[in-house]
Amino acid sequence: MNIVVCVKYVPDAQAERTFNASDNTTDRENVDGLLSELDEYAVEEALKLAEAGEGEVTVLTVGPDSAADAIKKALQMGADKGVHVNDAAIHGSDAVATSLVLAEAIKKIGSVDLVITGMASTDGTMGVVPAMLAERLGLPAVTYASELTVDGGVATIRRDGDASTQTITATLPALVSVTDQINEPRYPSFKGIMAAKKKPVDTWSLADLGVDASQVGLDAAWTRVESFAARPPRSQGQIVTDEGDGGQKLAAFLSERKFV
Amino acid sequence: MAEVLVLVDHVDGKVRKTTAELLTIARRIGEPSAVFIGDGFDAAKESLAKFGAEKVYRVESPDVLAHLVVPQAEVLALLVAEKAPAALLVSASPEGKEIAARLAIKTESGLITDAVDVQAGAAGGVATTQSVFAGSYTVTATVTKGTPIVAVKPNSATPEEVAGAAADEVVAYTPSDAAKGATITESKPKEATGRPELTEAAIVVSGGRGTGGDFSKVEEFADSLGAAVGASRAAVDAGWYPHASQVGQTGKQVSPQLYVACGISGAIQHRAGMQTSKTIVAVNKDNEAPIFELVDFGVVGDLFAVLPQATEAINAAKG
Ligand SMILES: Cc1cc2nc3c(=O)[nH]c(=O)nc-3n(C[C@H](O)[C@H](O)[C@H](O)COP(=O)(O)OP(=O)(O)OC[C@H]3O[C@@H](n4cnc5c(N)ncnc54)[C@H](O)[C@@H]3O)c2cc1C
Ligand SMILES: Nc1ncnc2c1ncn2[C@@H]1O[C@H](COP(=O)(O)O)[C@@H](O)[C@H]1O
């Protein structure tokens, strides 16, 4: 079984994230980045499937030079090979363009049985790339999986919904997005770190994929960020220390604000 | 006036509050038309009319919902082609966003997700406001291609009652083969808690690791306020509260009028799910807990002492 895991390189959520003032895009240069935490669950799930049977795991990322780090981490965890789509024209792409590039890369990788993604990236947090990708590839998608089994060419997931817990099936080839409930991602072992150095990573440009530069990047985006502003810091709230009357003070605050 | 399509979010005809909010927003942009997919239209019609739906397009095909989102995206694509609406609104639930994502590709239209405000755009279309990077930035955006599709967060508008005709029109639709690729094979309903739904609630009271696994004081306090109960991931991971109640990056994103965090430290992933709340209150033993950076009102103290006293005072005030 050929599994492709889509992983995104994102600015560290613990750092000060911001925008480029020149074009209102996310600043990816001046903030330390890493493999999106939520995509580690996707990598782990792919590795578990591959380890349980025959299977090869390819990690795919679309991003600038630094995004190679995301591939490296996934290879260290145990993925077999990497594909990095890197092209200056991609800067400023929205989810629509990103999904186009991912779809073309997956077609080029060829004979893919299963595409696994995270539930959302930790920077954009749109959670729409998986569905867009499935739409472009003409694949069924089973999303927000908290459990995944693949058997006899059918992927079965469990999803923890609001009103019910659902079991959902899709015939392969299919796309699955996974939540942070699904597993506990492994840390790269020393052996894994050494082995990763010898694993193949292909770097593709848009031309390699037959994607025209005019279809991606900021100018091709179907939406436009008009402005961004740091949220004014919340005016310093009132903080009281409980001296036996903290509950009453809390109730008084809530009454004053008409919540009672 | 151009139509604005609103996908109705409902369970067997019971229309969720977010739909009333979407219909209210739709009226700022054009004439609201609801799209109702599934069973229970008779039950839904009244509330759609009450919040100003002039038309309702309905699809009754019984197995549509069993195949999750693709058939719904196909129905909407059909309507977008036929009615050329000024915009299309869905609620920013995981399912709503997935439908919107497929629809955006199908109709080559720009998609904005998790909008907290939507207005008519200066040059037509829509002007949206989003809150990004765990609430630390506010971004305004417009759609530059196709039919603007916007996934709107719950509690982004106050539903306004305006009588609409809710004239219904059955849409002939047969799912394509591709639409049947995924199937719900089993669905186990969850027990109702009797409390408001987390993302819709005006007030949310959440408990974290600080509860030590005893949510009773959090629940009693929540009930005194008529609030929904949420939990941090630490509390969920420990098995103290169901995952459906988790607030945060990988749980629910809530923006109620009032959010009360009890025994929650305020990690960035938790903030990502509650930072757009209008008023924030915390009860925490540690005066250095990061949650206090966000609060309008904070009590440094033991939740097992503070909450019962507050509950008693509130219940007494209500008489
Ligand atoms: C990929 C990923 C996704 C995540 N997604 C989420 C998410 O969606 N939601 C989420 O919440 N977290 C999420 N987290 C986890 C997050 O990083 C924190 O670990 C978690 O929010 C901590 O929960 P907590 O505040 O309850 O626990 P802690 O951080 O342990 O805080 C407990 C607090 O309770 C206080 N306390 C203890 N006893 C009492 C008492 N008797 N009275 C009053 N206060 C008391 C303590 O002072 C402390 O501040 C995610 C993490 C990762 C890596
Ligand atoms: N640039 C990218 N490269 C590879 N995978 C991506 C990229 N952007 C998004 N994804 C995948 O899509 C998922 C959801 O992303 P998003 O829709 O941006 O929240 C992520 O968890 C990844 O698996």
Side-chain angles (χ1 to χ4, degrees):
Chain A
M1 186 164 61
N2 287 323
I3 307 173
V4 171
V5 186
C6 299
V7 299
K8 187 175 184 187
Y9 182 76
V10 297
D12 190 346
Q14 306 294 342
E16 286 288 326
R17 292 177 292 182
T18 183
F19 291 86
N20 294 311
S22 56
D23 61 0
N24 294 356
T25 58
T26 303
D27 183 348
R28 299 185 190 280
E29 272 88 50
N30 299 309
V31 181
D32 282 344
L34 75 182
L35 166 61
S36 174
E37 254 171 340
L38 294 177
D39 293 345
E40 287 185 23
Y41 298 90
V43 174
E44 176 66 33
E45 201 58 22
L47 295 176
K48 279 169 61 184
L49 285 174
E51 283 161 4
E54 301 286 302
E56 194 183 46
V57 179
T58 306
V59 283
L60 167 63
T61 198
V62 174
D65 292 350
S66 49
D69 275 4
I71 292 194
K72 188 164 124 193
K73 172 90 183 273
L75 294 178
Q76 290 175 342
M77 288 172 74
D80 299 297
K81 54 184 193 179
V83 172
H84 183 179
V85 185
N86 186 356
D87 198 307
I90 295 172
H91 170 81
S93 290
D94 59 358
V96 167
T98 302
S99 68
L100 172 71
V101 179
L102 286 170
E104 292 307 318
I106 288 169
K107 286 184 200 159
K108 187 172 158 83
I109 291 168
S111 51
V112 172
D113 301 292
L114 187 62
V115 178
I116 306 184
T117 73
M119 61 182 272
S121 55
T122 55
D123 56 347
T125 65
M126 288 181 79
V128 293
V129 166
M132 288 181 171
L133 184 55
E135 181 67 29
R136 288 187 184 280
L137 293 169
L139 294 181
V142 283
T143 53
Y144 297 95
S146 56
E147 232 175 78
L148 167 67
T149 50
V150 178
D151 193 18
V154 176
T156 303
I157 69 149
R158 194 173 57 86
R159 176 176 11 190
D160 194 22
D162 273 351
S164 61
T165 305
Q166 298 168 330
T167 307
I168 305 170
T169 61
T171 310
L172 300 186
L175 179 144
V176 177
S177 83
V178 304
T179 72
D180 60 337
Q181 300 281 302
I182 197 162
N183 57 41
E184 199 53 62
R186 68 193 66 184
Y187 290 100
S189 63
F190 179 69
K191 220 176 112 209
I193 292 172
M194 296 314 287
K197 296 188 170 142
K198 294 193 209 72
K199 290 178 178 170
V201 178
D202 284 337
T203 304
W204 293 340
S205 65
L206 288 177
D208 291 327
L209 299 179
V211 174
D212 196 273
S214 67
Q215 290 175 278
V216 300
L218 195 58
D219 293 336
W222 297 352
T223 56
R224 185 168 60 227
V225 172
E226 301 290 348
S227 71
F228 65 88
R231 189 194 176 103
R234 283 186 172 264
S235 52
Q236 180 59 45
Q238 186 192 352
I239 295 177
V240 301
T241 301
D242 179 31
E243 280 157 354
D245 56 357
Q248 265 136 16
K249 284 183 172 153
L250 172 55
F253 171 82
L254 296 176
S255 300
E256 185 192 301
R257 294 288 180 100
K258 309 258 187 296
F259 289 116
V260 178
Chain B
M1 205 182 342
E3 288 180 61
V4 176
L5 299 181
V6 168
L7 178 63
V8 178
D9 195 350
H10 70 102
V11 180
D12 296 328
K14 195 170 170 293
V15 177
R16 295 178 64 169
K17 192 176 128 210
T18 50
T19 300
E21 294 164 5
L22 295 185
L23 289 169
T24 300
I25 290 173
R27 264 193 290 117
R28 299 173 189 161
I29 305 161
E31 195 174 271
S33 296
V35 181
F36 185 91
I37 302 176
D39 296 327
F41 175 69
D42 290 343
K45 182 167 176 155
E46 194 186 334
S47 56
L48 297 177
K50 189 161 112 187
F51 291 101
E54 291 298 338
K55 286 190 191 142
V56 186
Y57 300 113
R58 40 196 281 250
V59 172
E60 289 172 315
S61 163
D63 58 344
V64 163
L65 295 181
H67 294 302
L68 302 151
V69 305
V70 187
Q72 300 186 64
E74 286 186 348
V75 168
L76 293 176
L78 204 122
L79 286 169
V80 165
E82 220 169 83
K83 313 290 172 191
L88 187 146
L89 309 176
V90 302
S91 78
S93 62
E95 186 180 70
K97 289 205 279 187
E98 211 177 318
I99 293 169
R102 286 199 180 250
L103 182 66
I105 301 297
K106 279 183 195 299
T107 61
E108 300 202 0
S109 297
L111 163 65
I112 289 170
T113 59
D114 301 303
V116 293
D117 191 24
V118 187
Q119 299 290 342
V126 297
T128 65
T129 306
Q130 291 157 288
S131 171
V132 304
F133 295 159
S136 56
Y137 278 86
T138 302
V139 161
T140 61
T142 52
V143 170
T144 51
K145 182 157 193 235
T147 303
I149 304 172
V150 188
V152 186
K153 272 192 156 191
N155 290 338
S156 296
T158 309
E160 289 162 21
E161 291 190 18
V162 175
D168 63 308
E169 182 181 320
V170 175
V171 178
Y173 165 71
T174 328
S176 72
D177 284 344
K180 296 177 190 158
T183 309
I184 303 178
T185 53
E186 200 189 318
S187 185
K188 279 198 211 106
K190 288 190 175 153
E191 263 177 62
T193 60
R195 297 194 178 91
E197 211 275 316
L198 193 54
T199 55
E200 292 178 2
I203 305 179
V204 174
V205 177
S206 290
R209 203 193 308 270
T211 62
D214 177 2
F215 263 65
S216 62
K217 300 296 171 259
V218 171
E219 288 180 338
E220 284 159 21
F221 179 63
D223 290 341
S224 77
L225 292 165
V229 176
S232 73
R233 175 165 158 194
V236 170
D237 282 355
W240 301 339
Y241 231 65
H243 179 244
S245 305
Q246 183 178 315
V247 173
Q249 183 187 57
T250 54
K252 297 280 151 52
Q253 264 100 60
V254 301
S255 39
Q257 296 299 321
L258 170 66
Y259 186 85
V260 188
C262 309
I264 292 177
S265 62
I268 180 102
Q269 294 92 347
H270 188 78
R271 291 177 181 211
M274 47 65 73
Q275 202 154 6
T276 51
S277 306
K278 312 290 177 301
T279 300
I280 297 175
V281 169
V283 180
N284 195 305
K285 271 201 310 212
D286 175 7
N287 68 353
E288 290 185 356
I291 191 81
F292 284 126
E293 293 162 18
L294 303 181
V295 299
D296 296 287
F297 189 82
V299 183
V300 179
D302 187 334
L303 69 89
F304 290 97
V306 175
L307 292 184
Q309 193 181 68
T311 307
E312 202 184 293
I314 291 165
N315 286 336
K318 288 194 298 195

